[in-house]
Amino acid sequence: MKIIQLSDLHLTRAPDAELFGSSPLTRLERAIDSILAAHADADFCLLTGDLADAGSDAAYAALAATLARLPMPAHLLPGNHDDRAALHRQFPQLPADAGGFLQRTLATPAGRFLLLDTVEAGAPWGSYCAARQAWLAQQIAASGDAALWIAMHHPPLALGIPSMDQFALRDAEALWSLIAPHRARIRHLFFGHLHRPIGGSWRGIPFSCPSSPNHQVALDLATLRGDEVPGCREPAGYAVILVDDDSVVVHHQQLFNGETSFWL
Ligand SMILES: [Fe+2]
């Protein structure tokens, strides 16, 4: 199975406006061009939040038009910059749980994906309230002994970047208590929010995060200055995930300005 992960697109209200020196829509188009050229055979595309920079109908309409170029299904999750209502207006087919949270499960040949909505409206950090926890408990109970995969916007752990660690998931212990008994069948955790390629493990669960197609967070392991986040001009990108019975490989495809590949 091949999965594409795109995260933190930050599409602007005026679809062709720039954000931090580049157009998020143009950057997304470039990522889509790359996916079509090299990964049109992917089973699905996972978009882990911050689809819009300031959650507007215009941004989501532009997103819908752009994603329509992809031959594979695209599964969307919200991030802290998104607006659930506007997102749902432009993607009315997006399933929601009984509480209106944009979370659901996805059955795949490699197991069941748990697509979690970690947004706390108006806050940059993530939350996972009792209502969402109850939904997740039900989904895990109904999953039998299937392999589990988790995808969400916010990381449930600190990653050593203080400016972003303050905006991680705040209900990580509650989430952990739900998934810990099933640790052995959880194959991977995908998140976004960090705007840089990161991999590791959380209490034994492997995780990864891709670059943003537009702007990156600097690898600054020291500075905490209020709610400011240090940005940087490292390459944009997305992740290509290869899944086999006994392996999960996460490739980070970087996107450069006008450069082409060559044979070594
Ligand atoms: Fe973001």
Side-chain angles (χ1 to χ4, degrees):
M1 194 165 74
K2 181 193 274 190
I3 305 164
I4 303 297
Q5 186 187 4
L6 278 163
S7 199
D8 297 270
L9 316 176
H10 287 259
L11 298 182
T12 49
R13 284 172 186 269
D16 54 353
E18 290 198 346
L19 180 67
F20 306 124
S22 52
S23 156
L25 184 59
T26 301
R27 292 296 193 92
L28 175 62
E29 294 282 6
R30 186 179 301 163
I32 300 286
D33 289 344
S34 167
I35 293 164
L36 288 173
H39 309 295
D41 61 338
D43 292 85
F44 60 90
C45 191
L46 192 57
L47 286 88
T48 43
D50 283 1
L51 311 172
D53 188 59
S56 67
D57 281 85
Y60 298 129
L63 177 62
T66 306
L67 292 180
R69 297 176 56 203
L70 291 173
M72 74 290 286
H75 300 293
L76 278 53
L77 281 173
N80 49 291
H81 284 259
D82 289 308
D83 178 311
R84 284 192 194 94
L87 182 56
H88 219 203
R89 275 197 297 276
Q90 297 301 323
F91 290 88
Q93 73 280 16
L94 205 56
D97 70 11
F101 296 105
L102 299 178
Q103 53 179 11
R104 66 274 185 201
T105 67
L106 178 65
T108 78
R112 186 163 293 263
F113 276 65
L114 306 168
L115 307 181
L116 309 186
D117 178 341
T118 57
V119 173
E120 179 172 328
W125 56 80
S127 65
Y128 206 65
C129 61
R132 280 174 279 190
Q133 292 168 33
W135 174 88
L136 179 57
Q138 279 181 354
Q139 301 307 317
I140 292 176
S143 67
D145 59 359
L148 298 175
W149 307 75
I150 301 173
M152 56 194 198
H153 181 69
H154 294 86
L157 72 159
L159 296 159
I161 300 175
S163 62
M164 290 300 290
D165 288 344
Q166 64 182 329
F167 302 141
L169 184 72
R170 295 208 165 169
D171 300 310
E173 290 305 325
L175 175 65
W176 174 252
S177 68
L178 282 174
I179 64 176
H182 310 278
R183 159 70 195 89
R185 60 188 177 106
I186 300 174
R187 293 197 61 191
H188 201 85
L189 164 63
F190 301 98
F191 55 76
H193 197 47
L194 266 295
H195 291 235
R196 52 179 309 110
I198 306 175
S201 65
W202 179 50
R203 299 175 180 176
I205 299 174
F207 70 74
S208 58
C209 173
S211 304
S212 161
N214 194 63
H215 56 282
Q216 315 310 316
V217 170
L219 185 59
D220 182 338
L221 305 181
T223 309
L224 181 59
R225 201 167 74 179
D227 60 0
E228 291 181 282
V229 174
C232 71
R233 305 277 175 216
E234 287 175 36
Y238 63 90
V240 180
I241 298 122
L242 305 177
V243 174
D244 219 330
D245 286 345
D246 62 359
S247 65
V248 179
V249 177
V250 180
H251 291 288
H252 293 282
Q253 175 63 63
Q254 298 182 319
L255 300 164
F256 296 92
N257 279 323
E259 293 182 12
T260 55
S261 58
F262 56 89
W263 294 101
L264 304 189

